[in-house]
Amino acid sequence: MKPDDIISYSELVAEEKANLQKGMNFGIGKKYSVFLMSVRPGAPYQDKIDTATGCIIYEGHDAPKKAGVDPKAIDQPLTTPTGKWTENGKFFRAAVDYKSGLLKEPHLIRIYEKIQAGTWCYKGVFELVDAKVVSDGKRKVFRYELHPVQKTVFSGRVEVPVTRLIPSEVKREVWKRDGGKCVMCGANHNLHYDHDIPFSRGG
């Protein structure tokens, strides 16, 4: 799998060898974690992609739903009621440890972006370089800053970041327009996005 490949949810599960049901998955791989993200209208969290740099701002996740409590009305939790780290806490601690020098290398995270129900885009491997607790105007939320790696080896594969990102809204429109198929051969698997006009010529 290469950055910007389009895959199904079943392919994502097969790649990670885990049935991922939550967005934040600390240490799911031996040397990395996994984030599931979305920048679609109506997405539950305010994730952002900087198309110029490829950097991602990922929002932490809410407390579990409880009867009579709206998770969107309370601060995102660092720990559970029993004092254990939440997924927010695990990633926050990893970022703080890197910034303070306790970790020599930033924590690595593989990111998958949801394009639509059942359809995902593999974004590549990112370094967790910073984490903050900020106010969104109503409550405190976590914001994680991730930078694309320059070169990473997983299972003998070298992954290089995509530096010429196609915006997510463009991907959704192209997917809708082409019916989730290759316009050249009609295939509906092993898909990826590309520029019709080369990037060097303004595409």
Side-chain angles (χ1 to χ4, degrees):
M1 189 182 313
K2 297 179 296 184
D4 238 13
D5 277 358
I6 303 303
I7 60 172
S8 66
Y9 178 72
S10 60
E11 289 171 313
L12 190 164
V13 168
E15 176 70 18
E16 297 302 336
K17 299 178 178 60
N19 189 16
L20 302 179
Q21 296 296 319
K22 55 186 181 180
M24 305 175 77
N25 304 274
F26 190 85
I28 198 163
K30 290 182 179 179
K31 297 183 179 178
Y32 66 91
S33 296
V34 170
F35 276 169
L36 306 181
M37 67 172 291
S38 177
V39 294
R40 300 180 305 159
Y45 301 104
Q46 299 301 309
D47 302 330
K48 296 177 183 177
I49 302 173
D50 186 328
T51 55
T53 64
C55 294
I56 289 176
I57 300 297
Y58 187 87
E59 183 177 304
H61 285 195
D62 299 335
K65 291 182 180 178
K66 290 182 181 179
V69 178
D70 178 7
K72 294 291 183 188
I74 59 175
D75 294 343
Q76 291 181 341
L78 182 71
T79 60
T80 67
T82 61
K84 294 182 180 179
W85 294 106
T86 61
E87 293 297 287
N88 290 326
K90 294 172 187 176
F91 286 104
F92 187 80
R93 181 178 59 179
V96 170
D97 286 351
Y98 170 64
K99 285 183 66 179
S100 67
L102 289 176
L103 290 178
K104 293 183 179 179
E105 301 289 336
H107 190 70
L108 296 179
I109 301 176
R110 298 183 85 185
I111 297 183
Y112 297 88
E113 179 193 359
K114 189 172 186 177
I115 302 299
Q116 63 178 24
T119 306
W120 296 79
C121 176
Y122 175 53
K123 306 304 291 182
V125 182
F126 290 72
E127 296 175 336
L128 177 60
V129 298
D130 199 4
K132 298 176 181 175
V133 179
V134 301
S135 172
D136 68 357
K138 297 179 181 178
R139 60 181 183 144
K140 292 179 180 178
V141 298
F142 291 88
R143 294 269 195 263
Y144 302 94
E145 183 178 340
L146 302 118
H147 293 184
V149 298
Q150 292 306 305
K151 187 175 180 181
T152 303
V153 179
F154 276 123
S155 303
R157 302 186 311 243
V158 176
E159 296 195 1
V160 178
V162 175
T163 56
R164 296 167 180 174
L165 292 173
I166 299 171
S168 299
E169 58 270 18
V170 173
K171 290 179 182 177
R172 283 193 295 274
E173 290 304 315
V174 169
W175 184 269
K176 242 194 297 188
R177 182 195 71 192
D178 298 336
K181 297 178 181 178
C182 173
V183 295
M184 301 295 288
C185 68
N188 59 8
H189 61 281
N190 293 330
L191 300 175
H192 65 274
Y193 290 97
D194 208 344
H195 297 83
D196 289 336
I197 300 172
F199 185 86
S200 60
R201 297 182 184 177

